[in-house]
Amino acid sequence: MRHEHGGNIYAKKCDIDFSSNINPLGMSENIKKAFINSFDMSVFYPDPECTELRKKLSLKEKVDFDNIICSNGAAELIFAICFALKPKKALLASPCFAEYEQALNACGCNIERYVLKEENNFSFDDGFLNKITNDIDIVFFTNPNNPTGVLANAEFVEKLANRCLKTNTIIVFDECFLDFVLNGENCSAKRFLSNKNIIILKAFTKFYAMPGIRLGYGLFADYNTALKVRSAMQTWSVSTPAQMAGIAALDDEKEYERTVEYIENEKKYIISHISNLAYKVFGHSANFIFFKEIKDFDKKMLEKGILIRSCKNYYSLDGSFYRIAVKSRDCNEKLIQAWTEVKRG
Ligand SMILES: Cc1ncc(COP(=O)(O)O)c(C=O)c1O
């Protein structure tokens, strides 16, 4: 596989996986039950319209039922958007989530990059906006960004939405990690959904801890764009177990209410211990931490059973950047223990 991601516990055996950023509260009992109960219904084809799930999402997100598309993980939508809209030129910030590049390459789109600078702590600036010109057909923008953990504030999101409106550029706001951010809703692009060129991507994957089930969705400002994208997807891409697990997740929001507070506490705990160990800690606005460490730090941690994400295969990053998830206290203690041992040598 050309694009290596975190979470590949099949290729890299470990005791604890810190390389994928999944809610440490785990999958709720009701989601598990719904998944198991869905087996009886699985002798039938899934509902191709994901009717019940989209009705619930429409209430939660306050977006029209017809403007929501459910998908086999958010990743499927990234590909469907590219294949349906056939952009000729795209703009990506670097580093960013690798599937954008993969999908854009697969549909023959040229990619312009705006390299985020280490000396600016990988923050977004007006230079990115200036790169959005009339010939840019699509921008993928992750907020907060992965792997850097940097959050673009409400003001920047507004500038970005306005700029793309002016240049008639499709802007995909990938908000798959925004639910983990304290007061993150203030930075959502949802308030600009009256701009026809906006698509917002979201996933059940991380927040409801169900990456193996595969469920994501898109909020489309424009109904015709939604139709086009849907027609580039196979009819039954969201399985019955995924639809039923998703419905249960939305019924179970209370179980997840303490997520942000939990993550904030654990993040503080980890950072207070690693700030003396790591070369530098960068962004951590979501449920993961981006940092700089010694060469082969990932290999040394894996020898101790801890799988972390080396970021060396991201465009514009070298082998000194890494990312870890924020997990439960007992896992985080083991992380710090292993880290301390590695640095002691
Ligand atoms: C920013 C971002 N968007 C989308 C995805 C894909 O999510 P899913 O697993 O729901 O396909 C990921 C997965 O890591 C991601 O990091």
Side-chain angles (χ1 to χ4, degrees):
M1 210 165 76
R2 208 168 63 81
H3 291 276
E4 200 182 313
H5 291 286
N8 193 347
I9 53 168
Y10 313 98
K12 289 181 178 159
K13 297 279 177 250
C14 63
D15 298 328
I16 310 177
D17 174 25
F18 275 86
S19 72
S20 62
N21 310 314
I22 304 302
N23 192 335
L25 298 184
M27 194 189 290
S28 76
E29 286 309 310
N30 284 338
I31 299 177
K32 286 182 198 166
K33 272 188 211 146
F35 189 73
I36 291 165
N37 291 340
S38 72
F39 292 172
D40 284 343
M41 282 299 287
S42 295
V43 294
F44 303 105
Y45 273 92
D47 172 5
E49 299 302 326
C50 299
T51 312
E52 284 312 307
L53 180 58
R54 282 166 64 214
K55 272 188 196 163
K56 280 198 183 288
L57 282 171
S58 174
L59 286 175
K60 173 186 158 92
E61 301 285 4
K62 300 183 181 60
V63 170
D64 273 1
F65 175 88
D66 288 330
N67 293 38
I68 301 174
I69 297 181
C70 293
S71 58
N72 192 291
E76 186 190 25
L77 265 181
I78 295 170
F79 278 78
I81 288 167
C82 292
F83 280 108
L85 306 183
K86 301 184 178 54
K88 294 203 167 38
K89 200 167 176 191
L91 176 67
L92 298 179
S94 281
C96 71
F97 183 49
E99 299 279 302
Y100 311 140
E101 180 188 340
Q102 198 179 338
L104 290 164
N105 281 338
C107 74
C109 180
N110 287 321
I111 301 175
E112 285 264 322
R113 294 175 195 277
Y114 183 74
V115 175
L116 302 167
K117 294 172 200 72
E118 180 182 350
E119 57 271 28
N120 295 343
N121 294 323
F122 300 96
S123 62
F124 294 104
D125 54 36
D126 288 355
F128 183 74
L129 302 175
N130 296 337
K131 289 279 266 184
I132 306 171
T133 43
N134 290 324
D135 60 335
I136 299 287
D137 300 315
I138 194 164
V139 175
F140 282 93
F141 186 80
T142 329
N143 200 22
N145 196 17
N146 176 17
T148 63
V150 170
L151 178 73
N153 63 22
E155 192 192 340
F156 190 83
V157 170
E158 181 168 4
K159 284 203 248 176
L160 189 49
N162 288 341
R163 178 79 184 186
C164 290
L165 190 62
K166 216 164 147 192
T167 56
N168 200 20
T169 300
I170 295 277
I171 167 97
V172 182
F173 284 97
D174 184 334
E175 298 187 354
C176 284
F177 287 107
L178 198 58
D179 288 339
F180 290 104
V181 176
L182 192 61
N183 302 320
E185 60 281 3
N186 298 337
C187 302
S188 171
K190 243 165 66 178
R191 68 204 154 104
F192 302 111
L193 266 184
S194 53
N195 296 8
K196 292 276 183 234
N197 58 331
I198 291 184
I199 302 171
I200 298 177
L201 282 187
K202 300 200 73 173
F204 284 74
T205 307
K206 332 271 178 189
F207 196 73
Y208 301 105
M210 42 192 260
I213 294 180
R214 313 300 303 135
L215 184 60
Y217 60 100
L219 308 174
F220 288 74
D222 179 40
Y223 172 64
N224 288 322
T225 308
L227 270 188
K228 238 189 201 173
V229 171
R230 180 65 182 99
S231 61
M233 292 162 63
Q234 60 145 318
T235 308
W236 303 282
S237 62
V238 184
S239 69
T240 302
Q243 291 187 36
M244 291 181 72
I247 291 166
L250 296 176
D251 283 339
D252 228 7
E253 299 269 46
K254 275 223 154 322
E255 285 289 313
Y256 290 92
E257 262 174 7
R258 62 193 182 97
T259 300
V260 173
E261 193 187 336
Y262 188 91
I263 300 275
E264 283 299 307
N265 274 338
E266 289 309 308
K267 222 162 27 183
K268 270 190 205 129
Y269 174 77
I270 296 177
I271 290 173
S272 69
H273 285 81
I274 66 169
S275 45
N276 290 330
L277 294 168
Y279 280 163
K280 183 158 184 189
V281 177
F282 291 97
H284 46 79
S285 57
N287 59 331
F288 54 90
I289 301 168
F290 182 58
F291 61 96
K292 208 168 181 178
E293 253 298 358
I294 51 171
K295 192 167 169 279
D296 292 333
F297 183 61
D298 55 323
K299 295 194 179 80
K300 294 186 167 111
M301 289 294 274
L302 193 56
E303 281 165 17
K304 300 195 176 291
I306 306 281
L307 178 60
I308 68 165
R309 175 71 156 102
S310 159
C311 295
K312 72 167 172 245
N313 69 334
Y314 282 92
Y315 185 93
S316 78
L317 293 183
D318 63 25
S320 59
F321 292 95
Y322 303 89
R323 191 194 68 201
I324 47 162
V326 176
K327 295 181 74 82
S328 60
R329 177 57 63 95
D330 58 330
C331 291
N332 297 337
E333 279 170 356
K334 290 184 180 118
L335 171 92
I336 291 158
Q337 175 69 30
W339 201 318
T340 310
E341 287 169 17
V342 166
K343 292 307 285 282
R344 245 191 242 132

PDB file of all heavy atoms in Angstrom, residues 72-75 78 97 100 142 146 174 176-177 203 205-206 214-215, ligand 1:
ATOM      1  N   ASN A  72     -19.200   4.878   3.436  1.00  0.00           N
ATOM      2  CA  ASN A  72     -18.397   3.831   4.048  1.00  0.00           C
ATOM      3  C   ASN A  72     -17.131   4.470   4.638  1.00  0.00           C
ATOM      4  O   ASN A  72     -16.038   4.398   4.051  1.00  0.00           O
ATOM      5  CB  ASN A  72     -18.053   2.829   2.936  1.00  0.00           C
ATOM      6  CG  ASN A  72     -17.482   1.554   3.480  1.00  0.00           C
ATOM      7  OD1 ASN A  72     -16.376   1.537   4.003  1.00  0.00           O
ATOM      8  ND2 ASN A  72     -18.210   0.485   3.371  1.00  0.00           N
ATOM      9  N   GLY A  73     -17.299   5.136   5.758  1.00  0.00           N
ATOM     10  CA  GLY A  73     -16.227   5.956   6.320  1.00  0.00           C
ATOM     11  C   GLY A  73     -16.175   7.282   5.579  1.00  0.00           C
ATOM     12  O   GLY A  73     -16.678   7.385   4.443  1.00  0.00           O
ATOM     13  N   ALA A  74     -15.586   8.288   6.214  1.00  0.00           N
ATOM     14  CA  ALA A  74     -15.449   9.583   5.529  1.00  0.00           C
ATOM     15  C   ALA A  74     -14.553   9.430   4.303  1.00  0.00           C
ATOM     16  O   ALA A  74     -14.690  10.157   3.316  1.00  0.00           O
ATOM     17  CB  ALA A  74     -14.867  10.613   6.497  1.00  0.00           C
ATOM     18  N   ALA A  75     -13.652   8.459   4.354  1.00  0.00           N
ATOM     19  CA  ALA A  75     -12.703   8.267   3.244  1.00  0.00           C
ATOM     20  C   ALA A  75     -13.435   7.997   1.932  1.00  0.00           C
ATOM     21  O   ALA A  75     -13.011   8.464   0.870  1.00  0.00           O
ATOM     22  CB  ALA A  75     -11.749   7.124   3.576  1.00  0.00           C
ATOM     23  N   ILE A  78     -14.430  11.191   0.249  1.00  0.00           N
ATOM     24  CA  ILE A  78     -13.309  11.951  -0.339  1.00  0.00           C
ATOM     25  C   ILE A  78     -13.113  11.486  -1.794  1.00  0.00           C
ATOM     26  O   ILE A  78     -13.009  12.292  -2.720  1.00  0.00           O
ATOM     27  CB  ILE A  78     -12.031  11.760   0.497  1.00  0.00           C
ATOM     28  CG1 ILE A  78     -12.229  12.375   1.885  1.00  0.00           C
ATOM     29  CG2 ILE A  78     -10.808  12.353  -0.213  1.00  0.00           C
ATOM     30  CD1 ILE A  78     -11.143  12.047   2.900  1.00  0.00           C
ATOM     31  N   PHE A  97      -4.077  15.104   5.634  1.00  0.00           N
ATOM     32  CA  PHE A  97      -4.510  13.709   5.536  1.00  0.00           C
ATOM     33  C   PHE A  97      -4.238  13.184   4.112  1.00  0.00           C
ATOM     34  O   PHE A  97      -4.611  13.825   3.130  1.00  0.00           O
ATOM     35  CB  PHE A  97      -5.997  13.649   5.876  1.00  0.00           C
ATOM     36  CG  PHE A  97      -6.592  12.272   5.883  1.00  0.00           C
ATOM     37  CD1 PHE A  97      -5.972  11.234   6.560  1.00  0.00           C
ATOM     38  CD2 PHE A  97      -7.791  12.019   5.224  1.00  0.00           C
ATOM     39  CE1 PHE A  97      -6.532   9.961   6.574  1.00  0.00           C
ATOM     40  CE2 PHE A  97      -8.363  10.761   5.243  1.00  0.00           C
ATOM     41  CZ  PHE A  97      -7.729   9.730   5.910  1.00  0.00           C
ATOM     42  N   TYR A 100      -6.655  12.623   0.576  1.00  0.00           N
ATOM     43  CA  TYR A 100      -7.035  13.657  -0.403  1.00  0.00           C
ATOM     44  C   TYR A 100      -6.153  13.505  -1.644  1.00  0.00           C
ATOM     45  O   TYR A 100      -6.635  13.507  -2.765  1.00  0.00           O
ATOM     46  CB  TYR A 100      -6.855  15.078   0.145  1.00  0.00           C
ATOM     47  CG  TYR A 100      -7.437  15.358   1.507  1.00  0.00           C
ATOM     48  CD1 TYR A 100      -6.744  16.145   2.427  1.00  0.00           C
ATOM     49  CD2 TYR A 100      -8.679  14.863   1.883  1.00  0.00           C
ATOM     50  CE1 TYR A 100      -7.265  16.426   3.674  1.00  0.00           C
ATOM     51  CE2 TYR A 100      -9.207  15.137   3.135  1.00  0.00           C
ATOM     52  CZ  TYR A 100      -8.490  15.915   4.028  1.00  0.00           C
ATOM     53  OH  TYR A 100      -8.995  16.183   5.267  1.00  0.00           O
ATOM     54  N   THR A 142      -8.652  20.571   6.435  1.00  0.00           N
ATOM     55  CA  THR A 142      -8.966  19.781   7.630  1.00  0.00           C
ATOM     56  C   THR A 142      -8.914  20.670   8.863  1.00  0.00           C
ATOM     57  O   THR A 142      -7.887  21.318   9.107  1.00  0.00           O
ATOM     58  CB  THR A 142      -7.923  18.650   7.806  1.00  0.00           C
ATOM     59  OG1 THR A 142      -7.470  18.248   6.534  1.00  0.00           O
ATOM     60  CG2 THR A 142      -8.500  17.485   8.561  1.00  0.00           C
ATOM     61  N   ASN A 146      -4.876  17.277  10.562  1.00  0.00           N
ATOM     62  CA  ASN A 146      -4.220  16.019  10.887  1.00  0.00           C
ATOM     63  C   ASN A 146      -3.016  15.890   9.952  1.00  0.00           C
ATOM     64  O   ASN A 146      -3.208  15.995   8.750  1.00  0.00           O
ATOM     65  CB  ASN A 146      -5.216  14.868  10.649  1.00  0.00           C
ATOM     66  CG  ASN A 146      -4.595  13.509  10.864  1.00  0.00           C
ATOM     67  OD1 ASN A 146      -3.551  13.385  11.476  1.00  0.00           O
ATOM     68  ND2 ASN A 146      -5.248  12.478  10.354  1.00  0.00           N
ATOM     69  N   ASP A 174     -13.058  19.311   6.181  1.00  0.00           N
ATOM     70  CA  ASP A 174     -13.053  18.008   6.833  1.00  0.00           C
ATOM     71  C   ASP A 174     -13.039  18.250   8.349  1.00  0.00           C
ATOM     72  O   ASP A 174     -12.031  18.688   8.911  1.00  0.00           O
ATOM     73  CB  ASP A 174     -11.811  17.224   6.382  1.00  0.00           C
ATOM     74  CG  ASP A 174     -11.781  15.809   6.942  1.00  0.00           C
ATOM     75  OD1 ASP A 174     -12.387  15.576   8.000  1.00  0.00           O
ATOM     76  OD2 ASP A 174     -11.124  14.948   6.328  1.00  0.00           O
ATOM     77  N   CYS A 176     -13.693  15.943  10.715  1.00  0.00           N
ATOM     78  CA  CYS A 176     -13.766  14.628  11.368  1.00  0.00           C
ATOM     79  C   CYS A 176     -13.250  14.642  12.814  1.00  0.00           C
ATOM     80  O   CYS A 176     -13.596  13.772  13.598  1.00  0.00           O
ATOM     81  CB  CYS A 176     -12.985  13.602  10.549  1.00  0.00           C
ATOM     82  SG  CYS A 176     -13.889  13.094   9.093  1.00  0.00           S
ATOM     83  N   PHE A 177     -12.410  15.627  13.150  1.00  0.00           N
ATOM     84  CA  PHE A 177     -11.879  15.678  14.531  1.00  0.00           C
ATOM     85  C   PHE A 177     -12.452  16.843  15.344  1.00  0.00           C
ATOM     86  O   PHE A 177     -12.049  17.038  16.487  1.00  0.00           O
ATOM     87  CB  PHE A 177     -10.345  15.793  14.500  1.00  0.00           C
ATOM     88  CG  PHE A 177      -9.667  14.516  14.095  1.00  0.00           C
ATOM     89  CD1 PHE A 177      -9.083  14.384  12.854  1.00  0.00           C
ATOM     90  CD2 PHE A 177      -9.622  13.428  14.963  1.00  0.00           C
ATOM     91  CE1 PHE A 177      -8.461  13.212  12.466  1.00  0.00           C
ATOM     92  CE2 PHE A 177      -9.011  12.242  14.592  1.00  0.00           C
ATOM     93  CZ  PHE A 177      -8.427  12.133  13.342  1.00  0.00           C
ATOM     94  N   ALA A 203     -17.292  12.038  10.502  1.00  0.00           N
ATOM     95  CA  ALA A 203     -17.171  10.579  10.614  1.00  0.00           C
ATOM     96  C   ALA A 203     -17.681  10.104  11.969  1.00  0.00           C
ATOM     97  O   ALA A 203     -17.565  10.811  12.959  1.00  0.00           O
ATOM     98  CB  ALA A 203     -15.719  10.171  10.446  1.00  0.00           C
ATOM     99  N   THR A 205     -16.377   7.319  12.892  1.00  0.00           N
ATOM    100  CA  THR A 205     -15.156   6.555  13.154  1.00  0.00           C
ATOM    101  C   THR A 205     -14.447   6.881  14.461  1.00  0.00           C
ATOM    102  O   THR A 205     -14.212   6.001  15.289  1.00  0.00           O
ATOM    103  CB  THR A 205     -14.178   6.822  11.988  1.00  0.00           C
ATOM    104  OG1 THR A 205     -14.858   6.537  10.776  1.00  0.00           O
ATOM    105  CG2 THR A 205     -12.924   6.013  12.122  1.00  0.00           C
ATOM    106  N   LYS A 206     -14.102   8.158  14.625  1.00  0.00           N
ATOM    107  CA  LYS A 206     -13.218   8.537  15.736  1.00  0.00           C
ATOM    108  C   LYS A 206     -14.025   8.753  17.016  1.00  0.00           C
ATOM    109  O   LYS A 206     -13.702   8.220  18.065  1.00  0.00           O
ATOM    110  CB  LYS A 206     -12.452   9.833  15.433  1.00  0.00           C
ATOM    111  CG  LYS A 206     -12.194  10.101  13.981  1.00  0.00           C
ATOM    112  CD  LYS A 206     -10.938   9.503  13.504  1.00  0.00           C
ATOM    113  CE  LYS A 206     -10.758   9.755  12.012  1.00  0.00           C
ATOM    114  NZ  LYS A 206      -9.653   9.008  11.488  1.00  0.00           N
ATOM    115  N   ARG A 214     -16.923   1.372   9.740  1.00  0.00           N
ATOM    116  CA  ARG A 214     -16.888   2.227   8.565  1.00  0.00           C
ATOM    117  C   ARG A 214     -18.184   3.010   8.388  1.00  0.00           C
ATOM    118  O   ARG A 214     -19.161   2.526   7.821  1.00  0.00           O
ATOM    119  CB  ARG A 214     -16.587   1.434   7.263  1.00  0.00           C
ATOM    120  CG  ARG A 214     -15.438   0.450   7.340  1.00  0.00           C
ATOM    121  CD  ARG A 214     -14.124   1.115   7.693  1.00  0.00           C
ATOM    122  NE  ARG A 214     -13.757   2.168   6.784  1.00  0.00           N
ATOM    123  CZ  ARG A 214     -13.305   3.355   7.200  1.00  0.00           C
ATOM    124  NH1 ARG A 214     -13.138   3.622   8.487  1.00  0.00           N
ATOM    125  NH2 ARG A 214     -12.998   4.268   6.326  1.00  0.00           N
ATOM    126  N   LEU A 215     -18.202   4.211   8.909  1.00  0.00           N
ATOM    127  CA  LEU A 215     -19.367   5.077   8.716  1.00  0.00           C
ATOM    128  C   LEU A 215     -18.952   6.546   8.784  1.00  0.00           C
ATOM    129  O   LEU A 215     -18.350   7.002   9.757  1.00  0.00           O
ATOM    130  CB  LEU A 215     -20.432   4.782   9.792  1.00  0.00           C
ATOM    131  CG  LEU A 215     -21.749   5.542   9.650  1.00  0.00           C
ATOM    132  CD1 LEU A 215     -22.443   5.251   8.319  1.00  0.00           C
ATOM    133  CD2 LEU A 215     -22.700   5.193  10.795  1.00  0.00           C
TER     134      LEU A 215
HETATM  135  C1  LIG B   1      -8.788  14.125   8.653  1.00  0.00           C
HETATM  136  C2  LIG B   1      -9.401  12.804   8.340  1.00  0.00           C
HETATM  137  N1  LIG B   1     -10.469  12.753   7.543  1.00  0.00           N
HETATM  138  C3  LIG B   1     -11.048  11.576   7.217  1.00  0.00           C
HETATM  139  C4  LIG B   1     -10.567  10.394   7.716  1.00  0.00           C
HETATM  140  C5  LIG B   1     -11.211   9.112   7.309  1.00  0.00           C
HETATM  141  O1  LIG B   1     -12.115   8.706   8.246  1.00  0.00           O
HETATM  142  P1  LIG B   1     -12.862   7.318   8.112  1.00  0.00           P
HETATM  143  O2  LIG B   1     -12.073   6.324   8.884  1.00  0.00           O
HETATM  144  O3  LIG B   1     -14.220   7.587   8.657  1.00  0.00           O
HETATM  145  O4  LIG B   1     -12.909   6.956   6.658  1.00  0.00           O
HETATM  146  C6  LIG B   1      -9.464  10.404   8.561  1.00  0.00           C
HETATM  147  C7  LIG B   1      -8.924   9.139   9.101  1.00  0.00           C
HETATM  148  O5  LIG B   1      -7.916   9.088   9.730  1.00  0.00           O
HETATM  149  C8  LIG B   1      -8.862  11.634   8.862  1.00  0.00           C
HETATM  150  O6  LIG B   1      -7.772  11.686   9.645  1.00  0.00           O
END
